[in-house]
Amino acid sequence: LNKVLLYKYTMGASASREKFAESVSALIEKDVSADDAEFWDELWKIPSSAEEVFELISAESARQLRDNRFDNLATLFTQATAQLCQIVETPYSIYFDQALNCTRVLTRILPFLLEKGDLGDADENVEHLCWGTGASPIPGDEKIGLVIGQEDRESVLPPNVAKFEEEQEPLALLVVHAAMHMLFLPQFTCDFYEEDSLPQKPKSAEQVRLEESQRKQDRDRRTDAGLGHVKYLETGISLVPTPTSIIWAPGAGIDATQLGFEGVTRKYDKNRIEVLRLLLAACCDPLFSPADEYNPLASRWLAVAVAADAPNNVCLFYSLLNTVLSYDPNGVPYSSTFASNNHVKLVELSAQVLCVLLDCGLPGSPEVVLNKQNQQPIVEFEVASQGGFNMIRTLLARMDSGKELTFVFNGFSRLLRNVYESKSKNSYLPNSSIRLECFQELMVLLWKFLEENPLFMNHILTQCNVNEIVTPICYLMYQSRRDPAQIGLVHICTFV
């Protein structure tokens, strides 16, 4: 029976691979109309893994599609974006596999579009496809209105079609926003519970006393750093992650009790990885400009991702940060030999995405601004609407509680120690821990905290054992001193 099932699975996978390859070849060899619902519907429903998509849409094929069949590429990009927007609006689980196919295709083709974007070769067609909002000069371009598999376009679009298309948002913005929505889609990348349905435990008198003592210490620490003045406003943009149950891991900004009944879960790691790869691909256009001309304000894609109105941006910051810094590579010994390493990939990818989002725009202000009614941290509307505003950098700069800063320090020290603990042969179980490969990203994140959070440096010097950070940094410098490929890592270690 097992052999029969394996045979059927193998044959099915092979047939799907052939169908997808045929569809890609058709896109390269001939013009395919955007109205050919049968072709596009079949394309999106072909089950394909990320590896197959990247293999079958080779770099050469993607460039051929862009340079010789731009109409087909435009339709591919437009309809994949339409699928993601549709799954955000109607998140039914039966469409999740189709949404993953669209995510993989977009992840593959976006870098080749951005290669001809405004930071690359500045192609007019790419500019209009990604950022145009009016009628398209590309024949047959249906923009975002056509939902795949529905032949009756009038049933999808609002009555005033022309007005709808004129007011349509740019596809670039829709892709980034769809990805940020999908990172917190219930039953796809997170669990969701109503706040009042979570179990509530009354606080003991001792807990209340400790919290009040911690708040007093935090106020004193801010005063010592010159941040004692608190500004109160009637309204602003909240910096509190809501709803709390969708955050991926506890730590900064959220306690484990606020996560829901299951707490930390890894069942969504594969989907989170897929969508994070799409977000990373959408934010890669600075790679196509010369390094000596890098401008942190130049990328419009990144500006959309870190803007104050980007969906779930506060939840994204705390999810990425907590996923990275709560990870313990010394958990179950030899776990990598009998379990999937998806969570390790998620940790490393989260660190990469966080580095990218922190490397654009302007530094955030550490000034304390609170809502007058509920005493929660906010950002002024005037500040958030200014050019170069970065919500992610603002959240990093505004972290000011001793509990959060200690969590950040402990996370960095635990992960950086992995560089030599994973190689240690003097333990009872040699080579039993998982070795991370994202030390450069960790060092960049540490440098960002030291540079942009005015309380973090003083906290680790006065409240923590700084040797736990210095020792692995010195080890990294020593190990990488003769490797030209690691010169960037040596430099960042030296700066720290």
Side-chain angles (χ1 to χ4, degrees), residues 76-92:
L76 185 72
F77 179 51
T78 301
Q79 297 203 6
T81 304
Q83 291 273 14
L84 298 191
C85 292
Q86 186 69 22
I87 199 68
V88 168
E89 292 295 325
T90 53
Y92 301 134

Side-chain angles (χ1 to χ4, degrees), residues 222 230-235 367-378 398:
R222 288 195 297 267
V230 179
K231 187 175 183 179
Y232 292 95
L233 296 174
E234 294 288 345
T235 58
E367 179 187 9
V368 181
V369 183
L370 301 179
N371 185 296
K372 188 178 293 185
Q373 279 75 34
N374 55 25
Q375 306 295 303
Q376 291 183 345
I378 59 175
R398 292 282 294 273

Side-chain angles (χ1 to χ4, degrees), residues 314-327:
V314 179
C315 292
L316 178 62
F317 170 75
Y318 286 114
S319 292
L320 296 177
L321 183 67
N322 294 346
T323 296
V324 174
L325 297 182
S326 65
Y327 178 64

Side-chain angles (χ1 to χ4, degrees), residues 125-182:
N125 285 336
V126 173
E127 169 70 18
H128 195 281
L129 173 64
C130 295
W131 296 102
T133 56
S136 174
I138 303 167
D141 182 14
E142 293 282 332
K143 277 297 178 188
I144 198 69
L146 181 62
V147 178
I148 314 307
Q150 298 197 30
E151 298 179 0
D152 184 6
R153 188 163 178 253
E154 298 299 325
S155 67
V156 179
L157 294 177
N160 192 342
V161 177
K163 183 178 179 181
F164 174 79
E165 292 186 341
E166 287 176 5
E167 297 177 353
Q168 185 57 270
E169 293 176 315
L171 287 176
L173 182 144
L174 292 173
V175 168
V176 174
H177 280 194
M180 297 181 74
H181 275 299
M182 290 175 66

Side-chain angles (χ1 to χ4, degrees), residues 345-360:
K345 293 179 182 178
L346 179 64
V347 169
E348 295 178 340
L349 190 56
S350 296
Q352 293 170 10
V353 173
L354 199 52
C355 285
V356 170
L357 297 180
L358 288 170
D359 201 39
C360 66

